[in-house]
Amino acid sequence: MNWGTKIFLILAVFMLCIVAVGFYMVTQDTDSLEEDDYYEQGLNYDQAYEKKQNVLSMKEMPTVALRKDTLYIHFVSKVNKGKLLFRKPSDSKLDRELPFQTTDNLLVLPISTFDKGMWNLYVDWKSEGKDFLFEEHILF
């Protein structure tokens, strides 16, 4: 085989790979750069901002600790009611929303069923008539 044929074959394989990757990207139905509910999030931005400011101004920031297969969330106030939203940045199908209610400062949650990796935790709760929102990035 001469050098001209080898160059032609290498270019043909390269072009075939580029076409295959392009076809694969077009057939995937996910857009990881955009939230599914971005419009609703934009409409509710003011409420979320106010909840985050309540955490800072009223010094109600919870502490999040991870020990083995258990997640501990320690609140400042004793009576809390709300929801935990776990978002997996790499796969939105694994997202979970868990309601909670505490009569103590501590919320204990087993996480052995969660996939390993990076998670975004959103704690949205109400305590003493005020709404709060806290975000934390955690690694299981």
Side-chain angles (χ1 to χ4, degrees):
M1 186 181 318
N2 66 17
W3 61 272
T5 307
K6 290 179 186 177
I7 290 176
F8 176 76
L9 288 176
I10 289 173
L11 285 175
V13 169
F14 177 73
M15 288 174 37
L16 185 64
C17 289
I18 295 296
V19 169
V21 168
F23 181 75
Y24 173 76
M25 290 174 61
V26 169
T27 58
Q28 296 302 310
D29 193 26
T30 60
D31 187 3
S32 62
L33 298 178
E34 185 176 290
E35 297 284 339
D36 292 333
D37 59 346
Y38 69 93
Y39 185 72
E40 289 81 13
Q41 286 182 4
L43 291 175
N44 298 327
Y45 179 77
D46 289 337
Q47 288 102 4
Y49 181 78
E50 185 177 324
K51 289 178 181 181
K52 289 178 186 179
Q53 285 303 110
N54 285 344
V55 169
L56 296 174
S57 65
M58 299 182 75
K59 297 181 179 152
E60 289 282 333
M61 188 173 298
T63 56
V64 178
L66 180 65
R67 292 187 208 110
K68 296 189 181 180
D69 285 343
T70 307
L71 183 69
Y72 298 91
I73 302 175
H74 188 269
F75 292 97
V76 176
S77 301
K78 286 190 184 260
V79 179
N80 303 289
K81 183 178 182 178
K83 63 183 176 181
L84 301 174
L85 178 61
F86 290 90
R87 286 202 171 171
K88 182 96 168 137
S90 61
D91 189 0
S92 64
K93 294 174 188 153
L94 298 174
D95 292 353
R96 295 186 188 184
E97 184 174 320
L98 305 171
F100 73 90
Q101 185 169 359
T102 66
T103 55
D104 192 4
N105 293 34
L106 188 63
L107 176 65
V108 179
L109 180 70
I111 55 167
S112 58
T113 60
F114 285 75
D115 283 2
K116 303 292 182 203
M118 178 65 77
W119 287 83
N120 295 329
L121 169 64
Y122 299 91
V123 184
D124 189 356
W125 81 101
K126 187 174 218 168
S127 177
E128 300 174 6
K130 288 283 190 179
D131 292 324
F132 301 98
L133 179 62
F134 174 72
E135 296 179 29
E136 180 84 15
H137 303 291
I138 51 179
L139 182 65
F140 296 153

